[in-house]
Amino acid sequence: AGDKIAGGKIIKVEAHPIPEHYRPRRVQGRMALVGDAAGYVTKCSGEGIYFAAKSGRMAAEAIVKLMDGGRRLPTQADIERTYIADYDKLYGPTYTVLDILQKVFYSNNGAREAFVELCNSKYVQQVTFDSYLYKKVQGNNPLDDIKLLGETIGCLIKGYSIAKPDAEFSNPVESMKRL
């Protein structure tokens, strides 16, 4: 592709940050946030389509049920007690595990090297595939999980010992052009 864009000019650079955490207030009055607006994006992959659709459906179903055939309007407390509580119970553990994984493995070169090495494990591949497919951290074999913990510690030690330190990144001139 390099020869196709040779001599090209950047006209405009745009981006929108992907929300990495639940919004502190996902319900205000009778308004409920879903999907990206609620912060329902997985940190490691940036995936959010499934969670957008699922949270939209969960919010709608909860609100319809709370409305009791149109006889009442749900309150903020009602929506928090149903939709938000149900979503958090169903997917909260998944977000917690992904948050931990990101903090452990995406923080520096040594940790990233450890992550790459761990990905060679058939068990890690299966757990990752199942968790991604079912959108929830899968119940696993406790013995294999203990082995994985040992492998993780070993890979982190090895990764930190062989990886080059992270290079400092700073480009204030280019950053100022984009403002």
Side-chain angles (χ1 to χ4, degrees), residues 28-98:
Q28 180 64 44
R30 291 190 313 265
M31 179 208 63
L33 298 178
V34 299
D36 288 6
Y40 299 153
V41 176
T42 59
K43 292 178 124 185
C44 293
S45 67
E47 194 245 334
I49 299 291
Y50 172 84
F51 297 104
K54 184 67 173 182
S55 62
R57 184 180 190 128
M58 288 177 76
E61 288 173 348
I63 291 168
V64 166
K65 187 174 180 180
L66 287 166
M67 290 181 67
D68 193 27
R71 288 185 280 281
R72 66 181 293 268
L73 290 174
T75 65
Q76 179 172 333
D78 291 335
I79 298 168
E80 289 170 341
R81 190 181 66 254
T82 55
Y83 156 58
I84 297 295
D86 292 346
Y87 189 90
D88 289 351
K89 182 178 178 186
L90 193 59
Y91 297 110
T94 300
Y95 287 100
T96 299
V97 167
L98 292 174

Side-chain angles (χ1 to χ4, degrees), residues 147-164:
K147 288 180 194 175
L148 179 58
L149 176 61
E151 289 173 20
T152 301
I153 292 168
C155 286
L156 284 168
I157 291 168
K158 182 179 175 185
Y160 277 96
S161 68
I162 65 171
K164 294 179 181 176

Side-chain angles (χ1 to χ4, degrees), residues 73-179:
L73 290 174
T75 65
Q76 179 172 333
D78 291 335
I79 298 168
E80 289 170 341
R81 190 181 66 254
T82 55
Y83 156 58
I84 297 295
D86 292 346
Y87 189 90
D88 289 351
K89 182 178 178 186
L90 193 59
Y91 297 110
T94 300
Y95 287 100
T96 299
V97 167
L98 292 174
D99 189 41
I100 292 167
L101 287 174
Q102 184 164 3
K103 286 177 182 168
V104 170
F105 291 113
Y106 290 17
S107 58
N108 58 58
N109 285 336
R112 287 185 286 276
E113 290 292 334
F115 183 69
V116 168
E117 185 171 334
L118 277 174
C119 289
N120 286 324
S121 161
K122 295 288 184 203
Y123 182 67
V124 168
Q125 293 171 19
Q126 187 64 53
V127 169
T128 301
F129 178 80
D130 290 345
S131 297
Y132 186 79
L133 180 65
Y134 300 111
K135 306 301 184 211
K136 295 195 305 191
V137 176
Q138 296 301 299
N140 303 305
N141 179 324
L143 185 57
D144 285 339
D145 288 341
I146 291 169
K147 288 180 194 175
L148 179 58
L149 176 61
E151 289 173 20
T152 301
I153 292 168
C155 286
L156 284 168
I157 291 168
K158 182 179 175 185
Y160 277 96
S161 68
I162 65 171
K164 294 179 181 176
D166 289 353
E168 182 149 342
F169 178 78
S170 177
N171 191 345
V173 173
E174 186 62 29
S175 295
M176 291 305 292
K177 287 182 194 176
R178 295 178 184 201
L179 291 179

